[in-house]
Every structure is written in structure tokens, then in C-alpha cells.
């Protein structure tokens, strides 16, 4: 009898009681913004990547079949709505993943991406969580709202962290990559800069790492998607679209409605796990009372059309003795196009 | 319902269901609050397992569980007071508030006051309740799976440790109580599982698998709950024991009963009962405590037929009738089981009247049902005037003043074997029901809304 939904109830209850007294749900941002001048803003200690060895997604008795799902979003200017939307829809994301059986034990990590060249909070990374602790991570994310206006954000720095500072049982024990969704509307810088890595994360990597190299490394650990809002200022900028299309191919998701981010993630994971086809996913959304079906259907049609069995880590292909032609390089465009 | 519409009501009202629940307490409270002004709707028994459906004339529908059914009254919501006898589920309250907000009720939490002494039901109670019902297998008691009974049971056994609404404002104290509760229930569940496996060794593997999975899913997180309950305590006004006296002094109130007298913990047919006093006893106790003994009009609610949700005796049950009278808001409940329908059981309703010590007037709902029965079956509605026992001899039942569950269990066994003596309802059904129960009929509903009500005898 899997009718237990205490966790969703607790979340909804707390949110309902808190919302009714005017708390925005981003307590840390509100607190920092109201008490400190901008040049003294800093990342909440629990989200600060500096000195972090790894963020872990591990199996436990309660969650024996963990699957790491990470969502990093641009916290600069135009994207401020995304985290707020995520927070509102968070219970639905868990609900969709769990109750529809897409994933047995999702563990979700949230993070924020800014611009290391000018922001106080260029990178914020929470923990992989299986429950309502996520709410706390979201609450602590600093919505800096800055950004430089040069059409670039430090996505590559976030990618470096996720590639080198994560540990996941889904990968280590079962050879299944995690999922990484980056939500943004600008380009990455051309290379991971050694100086920024030292300042922000604390590693000494000696020399810069070209973007395609870190992306390739990351993809051995995660199925990576870039979610781009079509309404964004940069959506019609050929450089930005060209950048992500070139590097990510079909794993770029153009989304008309940013309020549908949670649903998009859930259905993408459902597709990746081969739990559903797109039509089934859209039906699940409708059944769950979501009106995001149109936006999600449109955004994911290219992925759905191109997918076969994909969630096998290329680096681990050789472990599958029978081979069978699992084609790691064909999993969605990417670096092989360069 | 008294005198002309509008203005303050002239006395407190107690609404009690004379059957097994689902008779129409919600619409009755809604009607009362629409016709006359009341200062509050007071809950004096049960918890979030109550489900009182109200459909406003503009089509808005809400199932009231923790909020009083006066919340959609046309001249503005009537506030809710959850008395010390109510069982409070802050999660359910929040969910309901959301829905009420969506229906356009501004700031629902501002409408609620809660006695600090009221027990809270938690996910731990709920999990224990469900586990217990599952362990009963085919012998389920028809619980709603909300843990209200577990909440009462735990409070009786551990009065000092039972978490209350007041505790929600004291995280350290609440945390300590919740931890003890979780440990206690886990121990109890462990013992139950062990004995179940001994009885059914062949199924041990399957049960282990199932319970492990369920345990993994359901283990509530203490800190999350403490945080949510703290938010509840901050937002909803918690009050002390003198609050009700002030309420009663300020304006007439409506006591909205939950469940029905035939499910009463002492007078119901054990073990198919609810762990709650469903008669007018609790409201009368609250009135007496506040220095106003007996100062209320007691209103009994019945349908033109008799229903029951879940297991237990329903002597007049008739599947043919069930097919003719489908239920809009009561379906197959995952925990309670099917909604059951029978002919109007005068014997059972007279028993209920005796058990609750009488009422002053009657509200009859589903007055359209007799006509639908006639149209569908070609014969008029029937009612049950007597029972015959297993041997074909007459079987009479009467409540006892002194609680005796062993005796109630024997009554239940007799009712399970009893057969109804059915006769055609004479004349106009609603008037006939009032005459048969010896009560003035105060209002008659022929549909689910207050607009469907007729108020024949402006008593």
C-alpha cells in the first residue's frame, strides 16, 4: 500500500503555513539582501563548494537503488524565476519520479551558477538529498541576480565541480550515469580557468581545461542536458544557441515555459530510464494535474524522437562483455561533432 | 433555521448524525450558517477523517475535514474552533486551507483556533493505523487509515506522552514526544509482525518484503515534521481552556459532529466503531464546562435510507438499492472499503436516538431518493421496522448506559445474523420518517446544496 505521502504533506504544510505569513521561501536571499551590502554577499556555508571533497549520492537501507539527479540553474538576472518555480513544484517532481515509478530512489542535488568573473556567488552546490532537506538547500541558495552582460556565465566551472567532486553509487555500483540538468540562457566560457577553480573550489589544477574536455569528462558521469528558455533575451542570439547546439546536440532542451522545468526534468528522466515514452509521460503529467504538458511535449519531442537505450556510461562500455553495440558516442550529439 | 432568515441564531446548535456517518452533517451546518449567524463552528470529536461535503450554490465544492462546514457560508466564513476533544492533523489542515484559498476564502488559517490540549495525529499514527488494518487482513474494521484511532489509543495509554497542538509551539518538547511515539509504535509493530509471521509461516517472505518496502517509504522524518508543526503553531491561533467560554458568551455556535452515533466508541457495534464519542455527549460536556449545561438545540441528521462505509453490521443492506442510488462523493475508499447502501433502518436510528439521549429536531437528507427508487424499481421505498434474529425470532436492541464492549460485541454478532422486517414507507416519506422517530422535521434536503433544502416547520 504505497499511499504514504507524509513527506509531500509535510512539505506542503510547512510551505502553506509559511507562505501565509509572507515568507518568500528563499529565506537566505531575503536575509542577506536585507542585511548586507551587495559586495558582502556570500554563499551560504552549506552550499559553498570551496574545500568540498565530494557531494555524494549513496545507497542506503531506505534507498537501496539510488539515482543521482542534479539540477544547477543560472541564478543571474533573468533566471530568478526558475528557482522560485522549482521550489513551488519540488514536491511534484518527487511525486512524478516516485509515484509513477520512473525512478525507485531519486536523490536530487540543487545548485546555482553565476559568473566567476564578477559575482559574489559564482557557484553554489547543495547535497544529493532524498527528502525534504532539499527545501532547505533551495532556501539557502543566494539569488544574486547579477551577471555580467557579456552572454557568458561560469557553466564550465560548475561542470568541473560535478565532474571531479561527485561520488555516486548509481555509477560506481551499477554503471548507470546520473542526470545533470543545467538551466541557463548564456554561453559557457571557453575553458575552466585554473585560477577560478583555486579561488572557488580550492583545487590546484595547474592549467586551464578547455570546455570540450571538461564536458567529455563530465559526460562519463552524467547524462547532461542544457535547458534553455525560449523567451530569454539570448534565445535569438545565434552565438548562444550555436554554442550549446554544437556542444550538446540533442541534449539541449528549448523550453517555452520555465514554470514547466520540474515537469520537463521528470519526463526527461522517465525517458532516460526507459520507464515511459513521451506520450505516457505527458499522460502522467495530465493525470497529476499539470498543465505543462504542451510545453514539455514540445520541448522533449526532439529527444524522444532520437532516443534509444542511452543511459549507459561510455567509459563503462567495455565492462559489458557482450558488447552489443551500445554506442556511447551517439547518445545525443556532443563532443564528437567538434 | 429558527425564525426568519438573517440575524443571529438564538441558541447554540449541535449537529449529530443518527446513522453510521455520511448522512449530511456538512450540508446541515452549511444551511444553519447560511440562514442565521453563528460565531463559530466547533468540532468536538473525531479528526481529519471526517469528510463533510459541501457544495455551494455557485458550484464550489469542498470536503470539510478539519475546517468547519460553515466556511463557505454566503455572508462570509464562520470561524472554526477545534476543541480539546478534536484530533488535529496540521498537514490535513494545511491541505484544506490551500483548497479553501483556491475557492476564494481569504486567509483560511486566520479562521482557525485550536485548544492547546487537542491531540495531534501524525504520520506515525497513520502508519501504525494502516499497518494494523493490513494485519487484520479480511477482518478489517473499516478504518479511514488516517490514524485518528491510533492517536486516541496512544493518548489513553500514554497520557503524558501524547503530542498536543500546544506542543507544536515547543519544538524540544514535541521532538521528545514524537521520538517516544515513533519508538513505541515501532515496538508495537515489531511484535505484531512477529506474531503474524508465526501464524502464517508460508507468507513470511512476502510480508517481510512488503513491510520492509512500506517501512522504507513511510518512515517519517522527525525534523521535517517538527518544522511543519512549528509553522502550524505560529500561524494558527492556539488557545487555552477559557476560550470556549468566551466564544459561547459572544455568540451562538454550531457543534459539528463527526462520524455517526452508530459508530460511537461505546454505543456502536464493537469492534466496527470509531475511537471517538460521536453522540452529543462531548458538546454537552463542553457546554457544561463553560457554565451553560444543556443550552443547545440538538439536531439529528438522517438520510431517507441508511448507509455505511466499510465493514460492520448493516442489517438492511441491499445491493439493488445501492445500484439505484449511486454516491457522488463517497466511493470505494482504499482503507474503508466500499460504500454500502440499505433501506431506512428505523430500528438502528431509534437505537441511535436512545444512545445519544434524544435530539430536539430532525434534518432529513436525500429526500429525492424515494422517488428515484420508485422510478428505477417500480415499487416504493421500504423501511425496516424490526429485526428477526438467526432463529427467526424477533430481535430487539437497546443501548446501555454503562459501557460494556463485550456486550456490544455480542450485539454485533446478533446483528450480523439478523434479518430486517421490511415494509413500504407509508405516505410521504419525509413526514413518515419524522412521525416514526417522533421528531419535528426541521429541514429537508433533496439535493447536495443548501439551495436544495426546504425548511417546512419553522420551529
Amino acid at each position: 500500500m504505497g499511499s504514504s505521502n507524509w513527506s509531500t504533506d509535510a512539505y506542503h504544510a510547512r510551505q502553506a503555513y509559511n507562505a501565509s505569513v509572507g515568507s518568500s521561501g528563499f529565506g537566505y536571499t531575503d536575509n542577506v539582501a536585507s542585511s548586507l551590502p551587495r559586495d558582502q554577499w556570500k554563499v551560504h556555508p552549506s552550499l559553498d563548494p570551496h574545500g568540498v571533497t565530494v557531494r555524494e549520492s549513496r545507497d542506503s537501507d531506505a534507498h537501496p537503488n539510488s539515482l543521482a539527479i542534479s539540477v544547477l540553474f543560472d541564478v543571474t538576472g533573468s533566471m530568478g524565476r526558475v528557482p522560485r518555480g522549482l521550489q513551488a513544484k519540488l514536491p511534484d517532481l518527487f511525486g512524478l519520479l516516485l509515484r509513477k515509478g520512473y525512478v525507485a530512489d531519486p536523490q536530487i542535488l540543487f545548485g546555482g551558477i553565476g559568473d566567476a568573473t564578477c559575482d559574489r556567488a559564482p557557484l553554489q552546490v547543495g547535497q544529493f538529498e532524498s527528502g525534504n532537506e532539499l527545501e532547505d538547500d533551495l532556501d539557502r541558495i543566494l539569488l544574486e541576480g547579477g551577471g555580467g552582460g557579456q552572454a557568458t556565465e561560469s557553466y564550465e566551472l560548475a561542470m568541473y565541480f560535478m565532474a571531479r567532486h561527485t561520488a555516486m553509487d548509481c555509477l560506481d555500483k551499477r554503471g548507470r550515469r546520473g542526470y545533470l540538468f543545467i538551466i541557463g540562457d548564456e554561453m559557457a566560457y571557453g575553458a575552466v580557468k585554473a585560477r577560478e577553480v583555486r579561488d572557488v573550489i580550492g583545487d590546484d589544477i595547474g592549467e586551464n581545461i578547455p570546455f570540450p574536455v571538461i564536458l567529455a569528462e563530465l559526460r562519463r558521469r552524467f547524462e547532461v542536458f542544457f535547458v534553455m528558455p525560449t523567451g530569454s533575451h539570448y534565445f535569438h542570439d545565434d552565438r548562444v544557441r550555436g554554442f550549446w547546439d554544437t556542444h550538446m546536440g540533442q541534449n539541449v532542451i528549448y523550453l517555452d515555459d520555465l514554470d514547466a522545468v520540474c515537469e520537463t526534468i521528470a519526463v526527461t528522466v522517465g525517458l532516460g530510464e526507459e520507464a515511459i515514452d513521451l506520450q505516457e509521460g505527458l499522460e502522467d503529467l495530465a493525470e497529476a494535474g499539470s498543465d505543462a504538458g504542451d510545453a514539455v511535449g514540445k520541448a522533449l519531442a526532439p529527444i524522444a524522437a532520437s532516443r534509444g537505450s542511452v543511459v549507459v556510461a561510455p567509459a563503462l562500455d567495455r565492462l559489458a562483455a557482450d558488447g552489443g553495440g551500445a554506442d556511447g558516442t551517439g547518445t545525443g550529439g556532443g563532443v564528437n561533432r567538434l | 433555521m429558527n425564525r426568519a432568515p438573517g440575524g443571529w441564531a438564538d441558541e447554540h446548535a449541535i449537529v449529530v448524525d443518527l446513522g453510521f456517518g455520511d448522512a449530511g452533517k456538512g450540508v446541515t451546518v452549511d444551511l444553519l450558517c447560511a440562514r442565521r449567524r453563528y460565531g463559530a463552528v466547533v468540532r468536538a470529536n473525531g479528526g481529519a477523517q471526517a469528510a463533510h461535503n459541501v457544495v455551494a450554490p455557485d458550484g464550489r465544492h469542498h470536503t470539510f475535514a478539519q475546517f468547519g462546514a460553515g466556511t463557505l457560508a454566503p455572508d462570509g466564513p464562520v470561524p472554526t474552533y477545534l476543541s480539546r476533544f478534536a484530533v488535529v492533523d496540521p498537514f490535513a489542515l494545511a491541505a484544506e486551507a490551500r483548497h479553501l484559498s483556491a475557492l476564494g476564502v481569504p486567509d483560511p488559517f486566520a479562521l482557525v483556533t485550536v485548544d492547546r490540549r487537542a491531540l495531534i495525529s501524525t504520520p506515525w499514527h497513520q502508519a501504525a493505523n494502516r499497518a494494523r488494518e493490513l494485519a487484520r487482513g479480511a477482518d478489517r474494521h473499516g478504518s479511514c487509515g488516517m490514524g485518528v484511532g491510533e492517536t486516541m489509543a496512544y493518548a489513553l495509554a500514554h497520557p503524558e506522552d501524547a503530542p498536543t497542538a500546544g506542543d507544536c509551539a515547543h519544538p524540544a518538547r514535541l521532538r521528545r514526544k514524537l521520538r517516544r511515539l515513533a519508538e513505541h509504535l515501532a515496538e508495537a509493530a515489531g511484535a505484531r509482525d512477529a506474531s503474524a509471521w508465526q501464524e502464517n509461516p508460508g507468507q513470511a517472505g512476502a510480508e517481510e518484503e512488503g513491510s520492509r518496502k512500506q517501512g522504507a517509504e513511510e518512515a517519517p522524518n522527525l525534523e521535517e515534521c517538527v518544522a511543519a508543526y512549528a509553522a502550524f503553531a505560529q500561524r494558527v491561533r492556539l488557545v487555552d481552556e477559557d476560550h470556549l467560554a468566551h466564544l459561547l458568551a459572544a455568540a451562538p455556535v454550531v457543534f459539528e459532529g463527526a462520524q455517526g452515533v452508530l459508530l460511537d466508541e461505546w454505543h456502536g457495534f464493537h469492534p466496527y466503531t470509531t475511537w471517538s464519542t460521536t453522540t452529543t455527549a462531548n458538546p454537552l460536556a463542553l457546554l457544561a464546562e463553560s457554565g451553560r449545561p444543556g443550552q443547545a438545540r440538538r439536531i439529528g441528521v438522517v438520510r431517507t435510507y441508511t448507509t455505511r462505509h466499510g465493514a460492520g453490521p448493516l442489517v438492511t443492506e441491499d445491493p439493488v438499492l445501492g445500484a439505484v442510488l449511486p454516491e457522488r462523493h463517497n466511493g470505494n475508499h482504499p482503507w474503508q472499503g466500499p460504500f454500502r447502501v440499505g433501506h431506512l433502518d428505523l430500528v438502528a436510528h431509534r437505537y441511535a436516538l436512545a444512545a445519544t439521549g434524544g435530539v430536539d429536531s430532525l434534518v432529513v437528507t436525500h429526500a429525492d431518493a424515494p422517488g428515484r427508487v420508485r422510478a428505477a424499481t417500480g415499487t416504493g421505498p421500504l423501511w425496516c421496522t424490526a429485526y428477526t434474529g438467526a432463529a427467526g425470532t424477533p430481535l430487539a436492541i437497546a443501548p446501555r448506559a454503562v459501557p460494556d464492549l463485550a456486550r456490544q460485541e455480542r450485539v454485533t454478532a446478533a446483528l450480523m445474523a439478523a434479518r430486517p422486517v421490511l415494509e413500504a414507507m407509508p405516505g410521504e416519506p419525509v413526514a413518515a420518517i419524522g412521525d416514526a422517530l417522533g421528531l419535528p422535521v426541521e429541514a429537508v434536503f433533496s439535493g447536495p446544496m443548501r439551495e436544495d433544502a426546504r425548511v417546512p416547520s419553522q420551529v
Side-chain angles (χ1 to χ4, degrees):
Chain A
M1 292 287 175
S3 57
S4 166
N5 51 4
W6 72 267
S7 182
T8 310
D9 288 350
Y11 176 87
H12 275 306
R14 194 169 149 193
Q15 207 196 31
Y17 289 119
N18 286 340
S20 73
V21 287
S23 158
S24 82
F26 281 86
Y28 184 69
T29 297
D30 295 346
N31 191 21
V32 165
S34 63
S35 62
L36 292 172
R38 181 176 281 265
D39 63 357
Q40 288 175 31
W41 290 8
K42 61 179 182 208
V43 172
H44 190 281
S46 68
L47 301 177
D48 189 345
H50 197 274
V52 169
T53 314
V54 284
R55 295 294 200 218
E56 291 177 287
S57 165
R58 295 300 191 192
D59 296 345
S60 66
D61 288 347
H63 303 286
N65 200 15
S66 63
L67 179 67
I69 298 170
S70 35
V71 182
L72 300 175
F73 43 85
D74 187 334
V75 291
T76 57
S78 64
M79 306 297 291
R81 256 176 63 223
V82 173
R84 294 188 189 275
L86 277 172
Q87 197 183 46
K89 296 260 185 90
L90 184 57
D92 304 328
L93 175 57
F94 270 112
L96 282 167
L97 290 171
L98 287 172
R99 295 206 193 103
K100 285 297 167 188
Y102 297 176
V103 183
D105 301 309
Q107 296 196 329
I108 304 182
L109 168 149
F110 281 117
I113 299 172
D115 188 337
T117 64
C118 57
D119 286 348
R120 303 288 309 171
L123 181 62
Q124 308 175 69
V125 193
Q127 303 278 5
F128 286 100
E129 308 280 16
S130 310
N132 296 12
E133 302 89 348
L134 272 180
E135 188 189 357
D136 295 330
D137 280 356
L138 275 173
D139 181 70
R140 292 171 185 146
I141 283 183
L142 181 61
L143 302 179
E144 187 166 9
Q150 64 280 71
T152 37
E153 301 287 359
S154 299
Y155 302 111
E156 76 294 339
L157 187 64
M159 290 175 164
Y160 167 86
F161 183 90
M162 295 304 289
R164 301 258 174 110
H165 289 271
T166 52
M168 304 176 284
D169 276 348
C170 58
L171 184 69
D172 298 347
K173 289 189 181 172
R174 292 178 289 280
R176 295 175 76 81
R177 288 182 295 172
Y179 289 86
L180 170 57
F181 294 87
I182 295 174
I183 304 161
D185 62 351
E186 301 185 37
M187 292 180 287
Y189 288 95
V192 181
K193 295 185 210 64
R195 183 183 51 76
E196 289 174 3
V197 169
R198 190 175 58 244
D199 291 349
V200 176
I201 300 171
D203 294 355
D204 188 358
I205 58 171
E207 57 186 32
N208 295 354
I209 306 171
F211 179 81
V213 173
I214 198 64
L215 178 60
E217 189 179 328
L218 181 67
R219 284 185 147 167
R220 291 201 287 273
R221 305 181 60 74
F222 292 93
E223 172 99 19
V224 185
F225 296 90
F226 189 80
V227 181
M228 185 167 184
T230 60
S232 137
H233 172 63
Y234 292 110
F235 178 67
H236 301 291
D237 185 320
D238 287 343
R239 288 176 307 157
V240 175
R241 290 189 62 162
F243 178 88
W244 291 111
D245 283 344
T246 300
H247 291 290
M248 306 279 289
Q250 277 158 343
N251 280 20
V252 183
I253 298 172
Y254 294 110
L255 187 58
D256 288 342
D257 177 5
L258 269 186
D259 290 334
V261 164
C262 266
E263 289 93 335
T264 301
I265 291 170
V267 174
T268 304
V269 172
L271 290 170
E273 293 297 295
E274 299 186 315
I276 45 164
D277 61 27
L278 181 56
Q279 193 52 42
E280 288 165 334
L282 298 181
E283 285 164 13
D284 289 345
L285 287 186
E287 190 191 312
S290 166
D291 52 9
D294 288 350
V296 175
K298 189 175 162 200
L300 296 185
I303 287 179
S306 70
R307 287 184 94 76
S309 173
V310 291
V311 192
V312 174
L316 296 173
D317 280 353
R318 62 182 179 276
L319 297 178
D322 54 352
D327 181 4
T329 58
T331 60
V335 288
N336 53 331
R337 293 184 178 191
L338 291 172
Chain B
M1 285 198 262
N2 328 342
R3 300 195 183 163
W8 286 100
D10 29 78
E11 57 191 333
H12 306 301
I14 301 173
V15 177
V16 62
D17 184 316
L18 297 177
F20 294 100
D22 301 303
K25 292 178 294 297
V27 290
T28 300
V29 171
D30 178 61
L31 178 68
L32 283 168
C33 293
R35 286 180 57 80
R36 305 294 295 271
R37 288 177 67 196
Y38 287 90
V41 171
V42 180
R43 284 285 304 276
N45 76 300
Q49 88 280 39
H52 300 169
N53 287 293
V54 171
V55 182
D58 57 12
R60 292 181 299 163
H61 167 230
H62 185 78
T63 303
F64 288 98
Q66 295 266 273
F67 278 80
T71 307
L72 296 180
D75 294 326
V78 178
T80 297
Y81 171 61
L82 299 174
S83 75
R84 70 182 172 92
F85 288 124
V87 175
V88 181
D89 180 343
F91 295 175
L93 184 69
E96 232 188 299
R98 280 186 170 225
H99 188 248
L100 288 168
S101 280
L103 293 184
V105 176
D107 198 2
F109 293 127
L111 295 171
V112 182
T113 45
V114 183
D115 190 308
R116 286 196 168 84
R117 297 166 294 175
L119 299 170
I120 57 167
S121 59
T122 69
W124 289 275
H125 297 111
Q126 188 172 315
N129 172 203
R130 293 178 178 189
R132 200 186 290 276
E133 277 287 77
L134 283 177
R136 286 179 186 136
D139 297 324
R140 278 198 193 175
H141 290 184
S143 158
C144 294
M146 301 284 293
V148 176
E150 289 290 341
T151 306
M152 300 295 286
Y154 184 76
L156 286 173
H158 309 269
E160 301 303 315
D161 288 343
T164 64
D167 294 335
C168 294
H170 301 278
R173 190 163 88 203
L174 180 67
R175 190 176 287 119
R176 192 179 67 237
K177 285 187 172 184
L178 289 178
R179 198 171 285 135
R180 259 185 228 158
L181 170 67
E183 284 165 7
H184 170 81
L185 293 178
E187 274 171 31
R192 200 160 46 232
D193 284 358
S195 67
W197 294 341
Q198 278 163 8
E199 285 161 24
N200 295 306
Q203 290 177 2
E207 291 205 3
E208 188 175 25
E209 178 67 31
S211 65
R212 188 195 62 74
K213 190 163 180 293
Q214 188 172 2
E217 259 179 9
E218 297 200 348
N221 182 301
L222 189 90
E223 290 308 320
E224 285 170 25
C225 290
V226 168
Y229 293 151
F232 154 79
Q234 275 197 331
R235 189 62 188 89
V236 167
R237 205 175 135 218
L238 300 176
V239 295
D240 296 319
E241 54 266 30
D242 56 354
H243 181 73
L244 181 62
H246 294 308
L247 265 186
L248 294 174
V253 306
V254 183
F255 291 88
E256 179 175 350
Q259 295 90 43
V261 171
L262 295 176
L263 294 175
D264 184 74
E265 56 184 333
W266 300 117
H267 297 300
F269 305 125
H270 189 73
Y272 305 103
T273 57
T274 183
W275 208 310
S276 169
T277 295
T278 59
T279 63
T280 53
N282 285 358
L284 292 174
L286 290 172
L287 285 165
E289 281 171 20
S290 305
R292 301 172 184 274
Q295 291 181 21
R297 170 186 296 283
R298 299 162 301 168
I299 301 168
V301 188
V302 291
R303 295 190 183 212
T304 53
Y305 52 103
T306 300
T307 65
R308 172 159 205 157
H309 214 154
L314 180 58
V315 176
T316 60
E317 181 166 17
D318 184 344
V320 173
L321 204 55
V324 176
L325 300 171
E327 196 74 1
R328 185 158 164 217
H329 297 303
N330 287 303
N332 224 334
H333 189 281
W335 290 97
Q336 281 183 289
F339 191 77
R340 300 157 64 197
V341 174
H343 304 282
L344 181 80
D345 190 338
L346 287 174
V347 183
H349 295 312
R350 282 177 180 139
Y351 175 94
L353 277 170
T356 197
V359 298
D360 299 302
S361 64
L362 200 61
V363 167
V364 180
T365 65
H366 300 76
D368 54 325
R372 283 156 60 200
V373 170
R374 191 182 301 277
T377 64
T379 56
L382 304 176
W383 66 12
C384 167
T385 54
Y387 297 157
T388 53
T393 51
L395 172 70
I397 55 170
R400 275 264 170 91
V402 181
D404 181 351
L405 289 184
R407 185 237 179 201
Q408 289 305 104
E409 211 159 349
R410 291 195 296 278
V411 172
T412 303
L415 291 185
M416 291 299 219
R419 295 182 54 78
V421 176
L422 296 172
E423 295 172 8
M425 265 191 211
E428 201 275 310
V430 171
I433 292 168
D435 288 346
L437 296 179
L439 290 165
V441 175
E442 199 163 338
V444 182
F445 283 88
S446 53
M449 295 186 280
R450 67 175 92 101
E451 304 282 286
D452 302 316
R454 188 159 58 79
V455 186
S457 70
Q458 309 267 332
V459 281

